[in-house]
Structures are given as C-alpha cells and as structure tokens.
Amino acid sequence: MAFYAEDSGGSFERCPPGMHLARCYRIIDLGTQRTEYMGQTKYLHKIMIGWEIHGMKDDGTPLRMNDGRPFAIFKNYTLSWSEKANLRLDLQSWRGRPFTREEMRRFDLTNVLGAWCMLNVIERPAKAGNKVYSNVDGVTPVPAMIKQNGLPTAVNKNEMFHLDEPDMALFETFSDNLKTKIQSSPEWQKLAGVQQGQPQSSPAGAPGGFDDVDDDIPF
C-alpha cells in the first residue's frame, strides 16, 4: 500500500504523475500496525520510505512545489523479506539485479538512505470521496545516461526514525496523522511505559527493530 504523506502544516501539494528521478532521504519505523485484508485482521511491522523528487517539467524547468522545495513522496511497506513482499520486490527492482544468498541473509536498511532511483508515480482516486493520491508504482535504477550527466544536489538531510531509539526532534516534524499512527503501535506504548518508569517488557510476538529481522537491502 502506498500513500502520500501530508506536510506538518496540514496541507500539501501532490507530486505530479510520471517517471521521476528521486533520492531516498527518509525511513520511518511505524511499529506494529493493525491491517485488515479480505476480512482478516493482522498485526504487521510497518515502515515508510520517503524520496525527494528531482523531476523536470515539459518546458525543461525543475519540478518544484510553490515554495521552491522538491516534492516528497512516501510508500508504506511491511517489514518482511519473504519472496513476494513488496519491500523485497521494490528493492530488488531498484538495484536492478537479484540479491545474492549472503545479501539476503542480513542487510542494514540505512544503506538505502541517499540512494538515487527512478520512481514511477501514478494517480489513484481514494476509495471514498473525491480525493486523488499520488502513489509510487515502481522503483528502478537510474539510467547510465542520467548518471553521466551528473546527479542533482541533494536537498533534504538523510533521516531515520527508529522506535528503538526515537529521535523526538524528528518526530515533532511529522504530521498529526503520522504521529497518531506511530503512537498506536505497541513499540511506542512500550517506550512510553519505560519513560514513565514502568517495567520494560515486550508484548508477546512483537517484532524488534530493523537489526532484528532478516531484511537486508544491499546497495
């Protein structure tokens, strides 16, 4: 499932559809989230990956929001390394070659931060109402011709929000909806309990941090 994250001010400009040059600048640990699919309820560890867009308009000028900043777009993933998991499929498509057996055994997600790619952005209507969302529909390597011409200067700082050691200054920059989503997770509840001096214990079956899963993304 993909979605466009709102700016903290409560309004946002949607990234236009098309194939865009992009750079990964943010990874957010959402913790364990309740998911309903085909009548079944599951609790899955989710993350969100964000990119800044360095596209061009038809007239050759840079694609920018009204305030001059690059567009940003995000995609939600289940933190899973199974054969059909969207995270694994997108990362493998992004790098343009299969993972080796050793690479698949373990990988640090922070290796993705700062990596360039091509994003296929499409528009999809909301299930209810008249809203239209910009969604990431594909991630592929940057063509050699673009690399040879030189990649643009990065704009946003590379940032990782991890519930094991949360950066609260970064957390305060998130939209209210995103904060609420993270705060609903058992990982956040555990963190809140520790901050209040309660015993530190993990819910049965609760997933750990990024280093505790066999989700390795070799870039």
Side-chain angles (χ1 to χ4, degrees), residues 38 50 65 78 80 87 109 122 126 144 170 176:
M38 298 183 67
M65 295 193 295
T78 297
S80 169
L87 179 62
L109 276 171
I122 64 172
L170 176 58
D176 289 341

Side-chain angles (χ1 to χ4, degrees), residues 141-193:
V142 178
M145 182 178 296
I146 294 180
K147 291 181 179 179
Q148 290 172 359
N149 291 332
L151 294 170
T153 301
V155 175
N156 293 295
K157 181 175 65 173
N158 292 343
E159 296 173 320
M160 165 80 82
F161 181 79
H162 197 314
L163 278 167
D164 276 359
E165 297 180 1
D167 180 342
M168 296 310 297
L170 176 58
F171 179 81
E172 290 304 321
T173 69
F174 298 161
S175 69
D176 289 341
N177 286 343
L178 181 54
K179 288 179 182 177
T180 299
K181 191 177 189 72
I182 294 171
Q183 289 169 332
S184 72
S185 70
E187 290 84 0
W188 179 275
Q189 299 301 322
K190 172 186 172 182
L191 176 66

Side-chain angles (χ1 to χ4, degrees), residues 51 75 77 90 93-94 117-120 136-141:
W51 297 265
K75 185 169 182 178
Y77 293 94
D90 274 3
S93 174
W94 186 345
C117 63
M118 302 299 296
L119 289 184
N120 183 26
V136 174
D137 192 54
V139 190
T140 54

Side-chain angles (χ1 to χ4, degrees), residues 15 19-24 51-57 62-64 70-71 116-118 146 151-156:
C15 177
M19 183 66 75
H20 302 304
L21 178 65
R23 186 184 71 88
C24 177
W51 297 265
E52 60 183 31
I53 301 297
H54 290 266
M56 301 291 289
K57 297 180 182 178
L63 186 64
R64 289 283 192 265
F71 285 93
W116 291 84
C117 63
M118 302 299 296
I146 294 180
L151 294 170
T153 301
V155 175
N156 293 295

Side-chain angles (χ1 to χ4, degrees), residues 61-123:
T61 58
L63 186 64
R64 289 283 192 265
M65 295 193 295
N66 291 332
D67 63 4
R69 292 181 299 156
F71 285 93
I73 194 167
F74 297 80
K75 185 169 182 178
N76 216 23
Y77 293 94
T78 297
L79 191 59
S80 169
W81 205 233
S82 65
E83 186 176 355
K84 296 182 179 180
N86 287 333
L87 179 62
R88 175 174 167 180
L89 293 175
D90 274 3
L91 290 172
Q92 189 155 277
S93 174
W94 186 345
R95 58 193 264 129
R97 60 182 177 87
F99 290 96
T100 66
R101 185 181 299 274
E102 179 63 24
E103 289 170 341
M104 287 183 60
R105 194 171 60 83
R106 195 163 190 79
F107 181 77
D108 184 357
L109 276 171
T110 60
N111 289 340
V112 177
L113 287 172
W116 291 84
C117 63
M118 302 299 296
L119 289 184
N120 183 26
V121 178
I122 64 172
E123 291 183 338

